[in-house]
Amino acid sequence: FRHRGMAPDALNAASRAAMRDEWIRVLQRASAMCPGANAGDVGVAEDWEFDRVEVADRYYKPRDIGLTQNHYAIQLWGVQQCFNLVASREHLRGRRYLAVMRARLDSFWFAPVPAVRPLLATGEILVRAASDAELRVPSDQFALVPRDHAEVHFVKWLEDLANDTFVQRVAQRVTERWNRYIGAEGALMLAFEEHGVPYSRQPFPFAVFRPWGRCFVLGQPPGAEKGCRRALEG
């Protein structure tokens, strides 16, 4: 379904502002528990804003050439909106951040998030492995991204899907690796490859909440038993 204007059930200015203010309060409370932290900006994006002909349809070039693609582009659009807030904050502060971290709000961490600065020493984007780890596919659930690579992870990941040249160039790899299906994680891997961005997979000790308790099934390397033991040991 494509909207040609504001959706009938869209938030009005007052409800949008109220939601934004609520999240600002939540983030301020959270940052107060972390010495040296502070809360940045908060934006509100609704699905209908993406599901417009002039927005959404740009990102389905893979389907136009016969590949299979689901609706994950809306997720990447939301990621891009968040990154725009980061870039705006950098402009106001007059300098860039060293890195940008992406983390889902429905993640459960079994141990504290590791100290960031030592992890930046490699200059690589750090992710966790996806379920088809034998192909070195990066998970889209968490990423620690050196600022120099942030444009690829937070912008090109989506915009490449609207680029005919990119889609034609990766079509054969999509066919060979995933039987013509290009999902969110596969698109991320291809963006890294095409833009020459180094990445490595790390055993970050978290899981995403899902129905029926599946959040505690750690299928990624190093495996559920070893991964859980490592997480609980700190």
Side-chain angles (χ1 to χ4, degrees):
F1 181 78
R2 292 287 180 262
H3 294 284
R4 298 191 179 276
M6 181 178 290
D9 59 347
L11 295 172
N12 58 36
S15 57
R16 183 178 286 252
M19 182 176 294
R20 181 177 180 275
D21 290 344
E22 178 183 357
W23 273 104
I24 288 175
R25 289 193 294 270
V26 170
L27 291 173
Q28 287 174 337
R29 290 197 298 270
S31 62
M33 295 185 288
C34 303
N38 58 76
D41 202 359
V42 174
V44 177
E46 298 182 79
D47 287 358
W48 71 267
E49 297 177 86
F50 174 84
D51 285 324
R52 290 175 289 170
V53 173
E54 66 272 24
V55 179
D57 287 359
R58 296 179 56 237
Y59 301 113
Y60 290 93
K61 296 289 186 182
R63 290 204 310 212
D64 293 344
I65 66 168
L67 300 178
T68 304
Q69 184 183 15
N70 63 24
H71 198 47
Y72 65 84
I74 192 172
Q75 169 194 342
L76 309 190
W77 177 79
V79 170
Q80 189 179 111
Q81 305 311 302
C82 289
F83 180 69
N84 290 341
L85 295 177
V86 172
S88 296
R89 176 64 59 169
E90 289 179 326
H91 179 74
L92 290 174
R93 71 201 294 259
R95 64 185 188 278
R96 300 203 312 175
Y97 294 105
L98 292 177
V100 181
M101 181 184 294
R102 184 201 174 199
R104 290 174 48 145
L105 294 176
D106 56 355
S107 296
F108 181 93
W109 284 78
F110 298 92
V113 178
V116 170
R117 196 174 295 273
L119 295 177
L120 296 176
T122 66
E124 300 173 322
I125 292 179
L126 302 183
V127 295
R128 198 173 65 177
S131 54
D132 48 352
E134 70 280 359
L135 294 176
R136 296 190 67 251
V137 178
S139 170
D140 64 348
Q141 297 175 351
F142 176 84
L144 179 60
V145 185
R147 186 60 180 83
D148 289 344
H149 301 318
E151 295 291 334
V152 172
H153 191 282
F154 296 105
V155 179
K156 294 297 185 181
W157 185 8
L158 174 64
E159 296 302 323
D160 282 342
L161 299 175
N163 185 317
D164 286 308
T165 302
F166 172 89
V167 172
Q168 291 289 344
R169 202 161 50 227
V170 304
Q172 186 62 34
R173 273 171 278 171
V174 174
T175 300
E176 293 172 352
R177 295 174 183 177
W178 306 299
N179 193 26
R180 303 187 68 79
Y181 173 70
I182 178 171
E185 293 170 329
L188 179 59
M189 181 181 185
L190 293 167
F192 289 164
E193 291 176 354
E194 287 296 302
H195 296 285
V197 172
Y199 69 97
S200 65
R201 298 168 300 153
Q202 304 290 320
F204 292 116
F206 76 90
V208 172
F209 281 100
R210 299 196 189 279
W212 315 115
R214 287 186 291 141
C215 59
F216 293 104
V217 181
L218 298 180
Q220 292 86 355
E225 181 177 349
K226 186 175 180 180
C228 285
R229 184 172 64 250
R230 182 184 297 171
L232 294 174
E233 290 172 351

